[in-house]
Amino acid sequence: MTLPVILLPVGVDDAALDACLAALETATPAGTPIWLADDAQGGPRVQAVIEPWLARTQLQAEYTRRPRAIGESAHLEEMLRACGDADVAVLAPDALPLPGWLQHLCDCLARDASIATATPWSNAGETVAWPRAGELNPLPPDAARLARACAAMPLLHPELPSAVTHAVLIRGSARRRAGGLDTQSCASWYAALVDLSLRMSGLGWRNVLCDNAFVGRHAEGRPADGDMEVLGNRWPTWTARLAGFLMDDPLHAHRLQLQQLYEQAALPARQPDLFGDGDEPAAEAAP
């Protein structure tokens, strides 16, 4: 399967971007297309991170920088439109993807044509936060162990109130049918993604959790000033639905299962005996 293009809006935090690019390099197959797009945000220190990475990366990377900023949601809509009807993965600029993240997201969309967005677990994922919902959990100390635990999760693809901004794979045909991002009303990617998710849901698609993928993040996404009022006026039940989801935590059992698998993944594996089952004592040498 050909992997989709990754869209990575460039922020102002050079350290977070450096960590994100390093994680992408180890967690994403070589040759995967990625577009770093700068809405006139990154300064000289950000440029000093990007330029050497472009020279050495195994990914198929492109970098663009606007001469003037147009705003977060408008910039992302410009990127999405440039990708046409293709499925696209959008990462936060401080995201830390674990191995297998993109393939698992692609497999999630492929399993069910009704899925419009697939969102992975995250330590800072609001409704999909792990190990505690709705909290800014610490970054996992052992990424490889957590990736193994995620890979063993049952694939239930539970429905979410909306996709979440740490990482999301968006089905291009669903995005086109829903009309793309409303950049006139929503200034932030946070609010624009919620609004897009709800419009796609209204057209019959689903926004789901990708059970076996995980993308860490340093902080949660935030709406811009006035964005929550826009969402509240357009979607009167949205705030109550989100609050109810966080309080009722319908993913509790699923989250607990991931915790158990994470704990089990720490146990040392039994070294196989190349010449037997290893349970019998060694025979004494003949005199």
Side-chain angles (χ1 to χ4, degrees), residues 57-163:
T57 182
Q58 297 300 304
L59 304 179
Q60 183 183 330
E62 297 289 342
Y63 169 64
T64 59
R65 177 181 171 86
R66 290 187 54 82
R68 293 179 300 278
I70 58 174
E72 189 174 71
S73 67
H75 186 224
L76 267 163
E77 176 63 5
E78 184 177 77
M79 296 167 71
L80 290 167
R81 285 184 178 176
C83 295
D85 289 350
D87 301 342
V88 172
V90 183
L91 272 183
D94 62 345
L96 298 168
L98 267 61
W101 72 283
L102 187 56
Q103 185 63 63
H104 292 321
L105 289 174
C106 291
D107 292 344
C108 181
L109 252 65
R111 288 187 194 100
D112 187 345
S114 73
I115 295 175
T117 66
T119 300
W121 295 104
S122 181
N123 61 298
E126 199 172 56
T127 55
V128 296
W130 180 86
R132 294 173 299 277
E135 296 186 23
L136 181 57
N137 298 281
L139 287 164
D142 190 336
R145 175 179 158 196
L146 182 53
R148 293 196 301 272
C150 285
M153 284 290 286
L155 302 178
L156 305 180
H157 302 326
E159 190 158 359
L160 304 172
S162 74

Side-chain angles (χ1 to χ4, degrees), residues 27 29 34 60 78 116-117 123 132 158 181 188 205 224 235 243 257 271 277 283:
I34 179 170
Q60 183 183 330
E78 184 177 77
T117 66
N123 61 298
R132 294 173 299 277
L181 304 184
S188 66
W205 278 289
W235 308 101
Q257 186 167 11
Q271 181 67 34
D277 61 13

